[in-house]
Amino acid sequence: MTPAESATQPAERMQKGLVGTLNTRLSLALMFIVIAVGVAVMLVSQNWMRAYYEELTQKLNFSIAMYVTDTYSLITQNGDTARVQVDAIEALAQQAMVINPLAEVYLLDARGNILAHALQDDNLARRSIPLGPLQDFIRGDIEYPLRGADPRHMHAEKVFSAAEIRQNGQLQGYLYVILGGQLYDNIEDGIQDSYSRSMVLVAIAVITLAAILAGWLIFRLLVRRLGMLSQAMHSFSEQNLDHCRSDLQQPATAPLPKDEIDLLAQTFERMSEKIGMQFEMLREADQTRRELISNVSHDLRTPLSTIQGYLETLLIKNSSLNETERMEFLRTAMHSSHRLGQLIQDLFELSKLEAKQMSASCERFSLAELVFDTIQEFRLQAEAKNIHIEVVNLQNNAFVYADISLIQRVFENLLRNAVTYTPENGEIRLQIEADAARPQDAVSISIADNGQGISPEHLPYIFDRFYTQQQAKSTNTGSTGLGLAIVKRILELHSSEIEVQSQLNQGSCFRFSLQSAA
């Protein structure tokens, strides 16, 4: 098994575990919600249908009790004795059942006690009726359905119709008509197991199962995307960046996210790309650091060894050396110390430029004045080799907008290389002219020599650090190999590029441009 396969298997097992767990939990939650909603809908619908039926029945039979009391004399007054007309109750009960077969008629006295009824049995659970609902009904203060006590059940309530019984203006009692009596209860109990009720229950069960199945499929699709995202995140956490990016690879122009999962995936993809680029930059920086340390340690060790060797020789053989040998040793040690100091200075400057710790403080200045001032620094070295330095200024009074100290450093490095690699009796030509590509906005500067030139295979690498390291050994030029790298970084700060043309044993020409400030 390869290391990649062994690293992938835990991620796949984790993905399957997460997907299974999340999918199961969502499915169970959906099942519970759907079943709960189905039961709640069934209970609410039953209660609503019962309330709807009771409200409809009570409204349709609202006047039944009042109609009966207006038609029949149910209680007669004989002196101080009230007499119940049983025959009249039986007659009105028959008429009430014609109007509503489920009605039960009760005659109450003024305190709510049941005086008579037209029932075939005397199976009553209570002998008095609370008068509050009856009085509300008679006053018309009704919020349908209005329920009153059921004489057949101690704790049951049913819709009713009621009317006062008065004689000579005095309240004698009440006519109380239950609109859903014992017959209604028997019929309701009989349809509990009816075909229609069973069909409703089956329909609710089928709808519930269909909703659960559909929800399970939808959740599975959603969880699958989350599973892919979790696998990519796990790969990312294991620092398997290439595998992570391949799992979530998006097209060059990513579409708009359809939902939060797409947005999360795209956000993670962008984040992983940025972190991957940063890791790549860190790898490159680490590789560069290793190369730099290797090169620096070599270049520092060489002059240090030279200085140490000659100084030790002076200490050991000082008495046996003549004045000429002693001065030669000191000059060699001094030359090495100068080269060591130049190398350290170049390293510090290049490190600041590459770390972007140095910025260009641009100002307006005369380019020709800076060129002539810089040439004076190399006058003695050029005269020692009989090198002629010519300045061709085709832009009189040319002013540029740049950092004067950094641009001076550019001229110093380029002129130092030109003087170093130009043979005796050679020529160096420095020319200032308008940039052909931007004649009104930029000034072009070129520095050309007729020195040894650069071979074509080395030309692409001359701006790399320590390029001249091998040449420095053979030609003993004293170059640190960092000058051109510093020139390139400084010009990049000025949004400019340096170009080079060179032929072996014929010379080189370096050209760059600066922003005009005329």
Side-chain angles (χ1 to χ4, degrees):
M1 182 182 296
T2 63
E5 293 176 348
S6 62
T8 303
Q9 286 186 355
E12 293 178 350
R13 289 196 296 268
M14 178 178 292
Q15 178 190 357
K16 292 180 180 179
L18 290 174
V19 171
T21 302
L22 184 58
N23 189 32
T24 302
R25 290 180 179 178
L26 289 176
S27 300
L28 291 176
L30 176 65
M31 184 185 305
F32 174 77
I33 293 173
V34 172
I35 292 175
V37 170
V39 173
V41 168
M42 184 176 64
L43 295 177
V44 170
S45 62
Q46 287 183 348
N47 291 331
W48 178 82
M49 288 298 297
R50 184 180 183 90
Y52 173 77
Y53 168 78
E54 290 179 347
E55 179 179 352
L56 182 63
T57 301
Q58 194 167 35
K59 287 182 177 180
L60 291 174
N61 297 277
F62 180 83
S63 304
I64 185 173
M66 182 177 62
Y67 172 78
V68 170
T69 55
D70 291 341
T71 304
Y72 294 93
S73 179
L74 300 177
I75 300 177
T76 59
Q77 190 74 24
N78 186 8
D80 295 333
T81 303
R83 181 181 178 186
V84 179
Q85 301 295 328
V86 179
D87 294 339
I89 294 175
E90 293 177 354
L92 70 87
Q94 293 177 0
Q95 291 187 7
M97 292 185 65
V98 171
I99 299 173
N100 184 355
L102 304 179
E104 295 179 354
V105 181
Y106 298 89
L107 182 62
L108 311 180
D109 62 13
R111 292 187 297 274
N113 297 318
I114 299 176
L115 299 178
H117 57 80
L119 304 178
Q120 295 181 355
D121 55 44
D122 195 24
N123 187 19
L124 300 181
R126 59 195 310 163
R127 292 293 177 176
S128 64
I129 302 298
L131 296 179
L134 278 72
Q135 293 171 353
D136 293 339
F137 183 88
I138 294 169
R139 286 195 305 268
D141 186 12
I142 300 176
E143 182 178 351
Y144 293 101
L146 179 62
R147 297 182 180 90
D150 183 6
R152 289 182 177 271
H153 302 89
M154 182 59 66
H155 301 292
E157 291 184 342
K158 293 185 178 181
V159 292
F160 64 93
S161 177
E164 292 180 342
I165 301 175
R166 291 180 177 274
Q167 191 174 17
N168 298 327
Q170 294 184 355
L171 180 63
Q172 300 296 321
Y174 299 91
L175 184 65
Y176 184 53
V177 182
I178 295 295
L179 300 177
Q182 185 69 34
L183 180 59
Y184 173 83
D185 295 336
N186 294 336
I187 294 175
E188 184 181 24
D189 294 338
I191 65 173
Q192 292 292 326
D193 299 325
S194 65
Y195 175 77
S196 59
R197 187 182 181 90
S198 299
M199 287 300 296
V200 171
L201 293 177
V202 171
I204 293 177
V206 170
I207 293 173
T208 302
L209 291 176
I212 292 173
L213 180 60
W216 179 79
L217 292 175
I218 293 173
F219 286 157
R220 187 171 183 83
L221 292 176
L222 295 177
V223 169
R224 179 175 175 270
R225 296 161 62 201
L226 288 175
M228 294 176 60
L229 183 59
S230 65
Q231 181 180 1
M233 288 183 172
H234 179 73
S235 300
F236 184 81
S237 66
E238 297 295 329
Q239 297 182 355
N240 190 359
L241 299 180
D242 295 334
H243 182 265
C244 173
R245 289 196 295 272
S246 64
D247 284 346
L248 287 176
Q249 187 173 4
Q250 299 287 341
T253 303
L256 293 176
K258 298 178 181 179
D259 51 25
E260 289 80 358
I261 297 178
D262 282 344
L263 180 60
L264 179 62
Q266 292 182 12
T267 303
F268 175 71
E269 171 64 15
R270 290 193 296 269
M271 181 191 69
S272 63
E273 288 179 356
K274 290 181 180 178
I275 296 179
M277 292 174 59
Q278 292 174 353
F279 268 104
E280 191 65 26
M281 292 173 62
L282 287 175
R283 292 192 188 102
E284 294 178 357
D286 183 67
Q287 182 65 24
T288 302
R289 179 186 60 82
R290 293 175 184 272
E291 294 176 357
L292 180 62
I293 291 175
S294 176
N295 294 331
V296 168
S297 62
H298 181 278
D299 274 40
L300 290 178
R301 185 167 56 249
T302 300
L304 282 175
S305 299
T306 302
I307 295 171
Q308 183 179 3
Y310 278 94
L311 291 178
E312 288 179 351
T313 302
L314 285 174
L315 289 175
I316 296 173
K317 299 182 178 181
N318 184 42
S319 58
S320 61
L321 296 176
N322 56 39
E323 189 65 22
T324 302
E325 292 175 335
R326 189 179 294 108
M327 291 301 298
E328 181 65 25
F329 285 1
L330 289 175
R331 277 195 295 269
T332 303
M334 180 62 69
H335 175 75
S336 297
S337 67
H338 280 307
R339 184 172 183 274
L340 181 61
Q342 184 65 39
L343 177 61
I344 294 174
Q345 180 182 353
D346 289 349
L347 283 172
F348 276 124
E349 187 171 7
L350 183 61
S351 64
K352 288 182 180 180
L353 288 169
E354 291 186 338
K356 297 181 180 180
Q357 296 178 354
M358 185 180 296
S359 59
S361 300
C362 297
E363 58 181 306
R364 184 177 182 270
F365 62 90
S366 173
L367 184 61
E369 292 183 6
L370 179 63
V371 168
F372 284 109
D373 290 343
T374 308
I375 290 176
Q376 291 301 316
E377 298 180 15
F378 299 93
R379 183 174 58 85
L380 295 179
Q381 297 181 31
E383 290 178 354
K385 298 177 66 175
N386 197 25
I387 295 175
H388 175 64
I389 300 178
E390 179 184 7
V391 178
V392 180
N393 188 4
L394 301 180
Q395 290 286 98
N396 293 327
N397 299 322
F399 285 85
V400 295
Y401 187 73
D403 189 315
I404 186 170
S405 61
L406 294 179
I407 298 302
Q408 183 177 9
R409 180 69 162 146
V410 169
F411 283 124
E412 289 174 350
N413 289 356
L414 293 177
L415 286 173
R416 180 180 294 110
N417 284 348
V419 172
T420 300
Y421 294 108
T422 299
E424 294 183 357
N425 303 318
E427 293 183 359
I428 298 175
R429 179 186 177 92
L430 196 153
Q431 183 167 317
I432 302 174
E433 59 186 340
D435 192 334
R438 298 180 298 164
Q440 302 298 327
D441 300 329
V443 177
S444 177
I445 304 99
S446 62
I447 300 176
D449 63 68
N450 60 350
Q452 67 186 42
I454 305 171
S455 60
E457 62 270 18
H458 292 291
L459 196 59
Y461 309 106
I462 61 173
F463 296 104
D464 293 344
R465 289 188 296 260
F466 299 104
Y467 161 72
T468 60
Q469 178 178 332
Q470 298 300 326
Q471 291 184 345
K473 289 182 179 179
S474 59
T475 60
N476 196 25
T477 61
S479 173
T480 63
L482 300 174
L484 291 179
I486 293 174
V487 167
K488 182 179 180 181
R489 301 302 188 277
I490 291 177
L491 292 178
E492 287 176 351
L493 287 179
H494 292 80
S495 301
S496 178
E497 295 182 358
I498 186 167
E499 301 175 355
V500 58
Q501 295 177 349
S502 182
Q503 291 184 3
L504 198 61
N505 299 321
Q506 294 186 18
S508 304
C509 178
F510 292 85
R511 185 184 303 274
F512 62 94
S513 299
L514 294 176
Q515 181 181 350
S516 175

